[in-house]
């Protein structure tokens, strides 16, 4: 379908020259799959993502296996990635027990998972927002003592299925708490995909006013309503240079087999390369990797770019 | 899934307060369907689109029935729309014969379909770009004599499957020719969906420099690589207020049953309403209409918003 030289590169001087993609497919994607992917396939997936040029690949999660059986093999998987010395391999840790497991395996980077809303904190962590922050405090302190890099995920930054729109000030408050606790980086999650570009701009402006440095902010958009890439463009325009995405758009909602959750890395890369923004990613290799993983999962990739470039059938 | 009040409305003062959606699902969408939709279903579809608040609904095409059998019923369909006095119902006319058929039925608005590239002009019209323009010249002249409004579609404005990237100057040249011929409005088509936001900005800047008034420019993006909404945002930022879209994302590529071609009207409306941009569209009614049409076509809508709001299974 596509002739050589596409997308045509036309830079926008108002946008950053380089973006770091925080690849979440192996963790956020696979933890939402109904089937459990074999450990060796996960290891090959992560190696292939690194080969495609991704420099930050979230590898797994040290949650209790009962909660997320899809990632119960973290102890077996992580040692299989030992040769990837030049790739950042953050892992999710829900609590001190998870952190100790990650430390025992030599992980250098961890992430905690907070909520901007009371309803989701209750549903996901069975705690209030403040109780969840109190739970993470010793985790972040201990990780920092061990010279680990700590990322703080923040869910429901734009809307919440129970509460509706989420006030910007509420999100800024939890962001400040995570940074004050010692998080190096934040990831602003639009967990239900409802954000639009003006809302993104408003939150980033409020964070600037609260003196949160833009280089410590990542964005994590979901494509539930098709808005993820337009929202990413709005974030780039505000100077954000860390963007979360999932290879092949892994992480679909369970009620629609091929409806996407996470922004597909390939669709993001297409836009960034068209804008002349360096990512270090080889789009052809990345699409081939996502098509290969789609074969393992037995369903097509929801990424439009993967479908178009690999002529993947529904 | 979605609580009341979403998307949250956060206007961007740099964007226009109102956008006119040029709905193409009934023509551009259905002409690409393998099955022929019954005339009565088409008429109901167009009535439901009007009920949902769409004010411009491209109704059908007066091409030779051999070329597009899906729309061979134009003569039977158009009279069934006689009650829609407040809705603009443009029809596609490929040549003088088509225009006479449209005139005989009392159509007030027509559209012609030109190409920005020689390869597509050859493939689609079996003519050079200039020969195609010469073919349209008497059509546009006669339509204007009859006080019809004339839209000029321009295909392959950003990339071409044979030629690769399309130079901006080449597109500007054909745009000027269509306006000089008498077209009231242009629709800049990214027929293969390869454009990115910087490229969109560059073309619109070049058209401004060539003194093409922005209020005579519409944009027509395809979502082949997931870029349509980000590109639309870039066009709005340049003052464009006419956006083509297809209800439910109708108009998929034949090789991937649910891969979308046209930007889905619902995904567009979600973004515009979140940005506080008035469209006049009732999103719930529109989604219900697209879900109903998806039922007739026997496959799910590729619109992410339709899937999310109607809980449509794959």
């Amino acid at each position: 379908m596509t002739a050589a030289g596409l997308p045509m590169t036309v830079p926008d001087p108002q946008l950053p020259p380089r973006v770091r993609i925080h690849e979440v497919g192996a963790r956020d994607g696979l933890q939402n799959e109904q089937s459990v992917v074999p450990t060796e396939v996960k290891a090959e997936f992560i190696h292939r993502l690194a080969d495609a040029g991704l420099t930050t690949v979230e590898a797994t999660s040290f949650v209790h296996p009962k909660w997320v059986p899809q990632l119960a093999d973290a102890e077996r998987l992580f040692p299989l990635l030992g040769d990837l010395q030049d790739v950042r391999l953050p892992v999710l840790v829900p609590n001190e027990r998870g952190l100790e497991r990650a430390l025992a395996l030599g992980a250098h980077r961890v992430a905690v998972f907070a909520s901007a809303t009371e309803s989701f904190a209750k549903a996901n962590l069975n705690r209030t927002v403040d109780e969840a922050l109190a739970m993470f405090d010793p985790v972040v302190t201990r990780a920092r003592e061990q010279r680990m890099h700590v990322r703080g995920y923040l869910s429901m930054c734009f809307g919440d299925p129970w509460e509706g729109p989420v006030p910007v000030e509420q999100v800024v408050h939890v962001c400040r708490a995570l940074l004050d606790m010692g998080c190096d980086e934040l990831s602003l999650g639009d967990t239900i995909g409802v954000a639009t570009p003006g809302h993104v701009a408003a939150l980033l402006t409020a964070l600037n006013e609260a003196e949160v440095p833009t280089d410590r902010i990542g964005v994590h958009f979901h494509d539930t309503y098709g808005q993820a890439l337009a929202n990413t463009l709005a974030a780039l325009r505000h100077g954000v240079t860390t963007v979360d995405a999932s290879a092949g758009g892994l992480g679909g909602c369970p009620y629609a087999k091929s409806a996407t959750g996470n922004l597909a890395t390939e669709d993001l890369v297409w836009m960034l390369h068209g804008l002349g923004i360096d990512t270090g990613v080889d789009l052809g290799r990345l699409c081939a990797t996502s098509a290969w993983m789609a074969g393992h999962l037995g369903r097509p990739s929801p990424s439009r770019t993967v479908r178009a470039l690999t002529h993947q059938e529904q």
Side-chain angles (χ1 to χ4, degrees), chain A residues 285-307:
Chain A
R285 278 192 192 183
L286 181 58
C287 284
T289 298
S290 292
W292 166 85
M293 180 51 86
H296 275 284
L297 297 172
R299 61 179 178 77
S301 165
S303 162
R304 301 207 197 272
T305 301
V306 171
R307 290 190 196 184

Side-chain angles (χ1 to χ4, degrees), chain A residues 14-33:
Chain A
Q14 294 185 306
L15 300 183
R18 186 171 173 83
V19 158
R20 185 169 64 83
I21 296 174
H22 185 106
E23 169 59 45
V24 301
R27 197 276 302 167
D28 190 10
L30 296 185
Q31 84 172 31
N32 285 302
E33 286 296 322

Side-chain angles (χ1 to χ4, degrees), chain A residues 4 51 105 116-119 135 149 151 163 166 179 191 200 202 215 226 229 239 249 253-254 301 312 314:
Chain A
D51 282 345
L105 288 168
T117 67
E118 294 295 345
S119 300
M135 176 176 74
H149 180 278
R151 161 175 259 228
E163 299 179 22
V166 178
L179 289 175
T191 315
V200 173
D215 63 3
L229 208 51
C253 297
S301 165
Q312 204 175 56
Q314 270 294 96

Side-chain angles (χ1 to χ4, degrees), chain A residues 113 120 154-159 189-194 220 222 224:
Chain A
F113 210 102
F120 190 67
L154 194 53
S155 289
M156 304 294 173
C157 289
F158 298 92
D190 181 18
T191 315
I192 59 170
V194 297
H220 185 113
H222 279 207
T224 321

